[in-house]
Amino acid sequence: MSIKKRLILSNIGMILIPIISFFLLEIALGYLLFVVFQGNPQGAEMKWFIGLRFVAMAFILVVTNGILTYVVSKSIISPLQKLSIAAKKVGNGDLDSPLKSEKRDELGELTNTFDAMRIKLKDAKAAREKYEQNRQELIASISHDLKTPLTSIKGYIKGIQDGVANTPEKLDKYLNIISKTANDMDALIDELFLYSRLDLQQISFHFEKVDLYAFFSDFIDELAFHLEKEQGSATLIANKNEAYIVEADRDKLKRVITNITQNSMKYMDKDNKKIQVQLFSEANEVIVEINDNGSGIKQEDLPFIFESFYRTDASRNSSTGGSGLGLSIVKQIMEKHGGSAWAESMLGEGTSIYLKLKKVI
C-alpha cells in the first residue's frame, strides 16, 4: 500500500474509529447506569453519564490518534532509518551490506533502488580495481617487451664498437640482428598503439558489404604462397552456392585474420604446416573457422587467450616472442563489428579460432 493511501486511511480512521467507539461506549455506559444499576435519568446518574461521556470521548480520541500516528509513522520512519544506516555504510566504503524491502510502497521502491545503486557502485569499484590492475600489468608488460629488444640492440652495438665484429661476415650478421630486432620493436609499438586507440575508441570504422568468400580466397592465395616456402599449405573450404556477405571494415577484418594466422604460424610444430579456413553460412550470421595443426593450447589457458598480454608460454622469453596483444586486438575489433571470437583447441593437435559476423540479408 502506498504512503498516500496509508495516510488517507489513517485520517479516515481517526474520524470513524472515535465515532463508532464513542457510540458503542455510550450504549454500554447507558445500559450499565440506567438498566443494570437502575439509575434515574433525571437525577445525579445523568450528570455521571454526561461526565463519563466527555472523559471517554477525550480518551478515545487521544488513544486512537496516538495508535494510528505511531503505526503510520513507524511504517515510514523505520525504512528511513535503515536507509540512513545503509547510506552511512556506503559513504564509509562498505558496499557489501544488502538492503532489500518486500513492501510495495514508495519507501520499498526507494530501498530497492538504493540497493541497486549499491550493487552498481560495487561493480564499478571492482571494475576500477580491475582496470588499475590491468593498467599496472600493461605498464610492466610494455616495459619488459621494450627493454628486452633494446638490451639486445645495445649489446650488438657494443660488440661492434668494441671490435668484436672484426670481419665483414660478423658485421653483416650483427647489423642484420639489429635490423630485425628494431623491426620487431616497431611491430610491437604498432600493436601497442593500435590496442590503445581501440581501447580508447579513437579508431573509426568504415563498414561496407564484404563477400567473405572473395575476401578469403585472396587472403588464402597470399598465405599459401608464404607457407609453400616452409612446405606448408593453406586452404579455403566453403559452399560457393551459399551467401557469405557481411557488413565489415575490410582493413580491420584483414588485421584480425593476419593476427590469427601469424599467431598460428608461431606455434606450428609440425613439418607439414597447415592452415585451413572454413566458412559456415547460417540464417543471420556467418561463422569463420581458422584451423591450424600447431601445438595446441591447454584447456586451462583457453579462457584467457583473448586477454591483453596473455601468453601460453611458461616463460616470457619464449622463442615465439610476440606482444601478447594479437588476440586481444582480434577480440576488440570483432566486438566493434557486433560479432564475437572464441577458440577451441586440442593439445598437440591444433587450434581453431572462430569468428562470428552478422550477415547482410
Side-chain angles (χ1 to χ4, degrees):
M1 185 186 298
S2 69
I3 295 175
K4 182 179 179 180
K5 289 182 180 179
R6 206 178 305 161
L7 290 172
I8 291 172
L9 290 176
S10 174
N11 289 331
I12 293 173
M14 287 181 185
I15 298 172
L16 291 180
I17 292 174
I19 291 173
I20 295 171
S21 300
F22 178 72
F23 179 72
L24 293 174
L25 187 61
E26 187 176 26
I27 294 173
L29 282 173
Y31 181 78
L32 286 172
L33 286 174
F34 301 116
V35 176
V36 176
F37 296 106
Q38 298 179 350
N40 183 3
Q42 305 298 328
E45 288 81 1
M46 178 57 71
K47 292 181 180 180
W48 275 96
F49 179 70
I50 294 172
L52 287 173
R53 284 175 64 195
F54 179 78
V55 173
M57 183 186 298
F59 178 78
I60 290 171
L61 285 171
V62 171
V63 171
T64 302
N65 185 63
I67 291 175
L68 290 176
T69 301
Y70 173 77
V71 171
V72 173
S73 62
K74 184 180 179 182
S75 69
I76 296 173
I77 293 172
S78 180
L80 286 175
Q81 288 176 335
K82 292 180 180 178
L83 273 171
S84 178
I85 293 170
K88 289 178 181 178
K89 288 183 178 180
V90 170
N92 293 327
D94 181 5
L95 299 173
D96 296 318
S97 300
L99 184 67
K100 294 287 185 181
S101 177
E102 301 297 330
K103 293 184 177 181
R104 297 182 179 181
D105 58 11
E106 292 86 344
L107 287 174
E109 184 179 347
L110 178 61
T111 299
N112 292 329
T113 300
F114 181 89
D115 194 62
M117 181 194 70
R118 175 193 64 82
I119 293 172
K120 288 182 179 179
L121 286 172
K122 184 178 179 181
D123 292 341
K125 181 182 178 182
R128 186 175 67 252
E129 291 173 351
K130 179 65 175 176
Y131 176 81
E132 180 62 22
Q133 180 184 350
N134 289 342
R135 187 185 67 83
Q136 293 174 357
E137 291 177 355
L138 178 67
I139 293 171
S141 296
I142 291 173
S143 301
H144 180 280
D145 288 337
L146 290 178
K147 187 176 181 179
T148 301
L150 274 174
T151 302
S152 176
I153 289 173
K154 287 167 65 178
Y156 282 106
I157 291 174
K158 181 68 174 173
I160 294 172
Q161 291 174 336
D162 292 344
V164 176
N166 51 12
T167 64
E169 291 78 11
K170 281 188 177 181
L171 181 60
D172 187 56
K173 178 182 177 182
Y174 276 34
L175 290 174
N176 285 334
I177 292 173
I178 290 171
S179 176
K180 181 181 180 303
T181 307
N183 288 333
D184 291 342
M185 284 184 64
D186 185 60
L188 171 60
I189 292 170
D190 178 59
E191 285 214 321
L192 285 168
F193 185 57
L194 175 60
Y195 172 81
S196 63
R197 291 185 66 195
L198 284 168
D199 195 44
L200 295 171
Q201 299 183 359
Q202 293 180 345
I203 289 185
S204 58
F205 282 71
H206 305 286
F207 294 101
E208 59 180 310
K209 290 183 179 179
V210 177
D211 183 350
L212 290 185
Y213 182 81
F215 177 87
F216 278 102
S217 294
D218 294 339
F219 186 86
I220 287 297
D221 288 342
E222 183 181 341
L223 182 62
F225 177 77
H226 292 292
L227 282 175
E228 284 173 2
K229 298 176 183 178
E230 302 180 29
Q231 306 302 315
S233 62
T235 55
L236 172 64
I237 299 175
N239 185 348
K240 295 182 180 180
N241 298 320
E242 295 282 357
Y244 302 103
I245 309 295
V246 299
E247 192 169 340
D249 183 313
R250 190 178 295 272
D251 291 336
K252 305 298 188 302
L253 186 59
K254 186 171 183 180
R255 183 60 181 259
V256 165
I257 307 306
T258 300
N259 281 12
I260 292 172
T261 53
Q262 285 181 348
N263 202 61
S264 294
M265 288 188 285
K266 286 178 189 175
Y267 296 96
M268 291 281 194
D269 56 352
K270 311 292 192 303
D271 292 334
N272 185 17
K273 300 175 180 179
K274 293 181 181 179
I275 291 181
Q276 177 180 284
V277 176
Q278 190 164 358
L279 303 180
F280 301 92
S281 178
E282 299 188 356
N284 300 311
E285 56 201 17
V286 176
I287 296 176
V288 181
E289 178 188 359
I290 304 173
N291 173 264
D292 65 54
N293 65 338
S295 58
I297 303 170
K298 294 179 181 178
Q299 293 302 308
E300 58 266 29
D301 288 326
L302 272 178
F304 309 105
I305 63 172
F306 291 96
E307 291 186 3
S308 307
F309 291 104
Y310 188 83
R311 293 188 181 95
T312 57
D313 303 78
S315 168
R316 293 187 61 85
N317 294 322
S318 169
S319 60
T320 57
S323 67
L325 287 173
L327 292 182
S328 178
I329 290 172
V330 166
K331 179 183 177 183
Q332 289 196 61
I333 292 176
M334 290 304 299
E335 288 176 350
K336 294 293 189 297
H337 279 76
S340 58
W342 70 95
E344 294 178 1
S345 185
M346 290 291 292
L347 200 62
E349 295 184 13
T351 301
S352 289
I353 302 291
Y354 293 89
L355 306 174
K356 183 187 292 184
L357 290 161
K358 293 180 182 178
K359 182 190 284 188
V360 175
I361 300 174

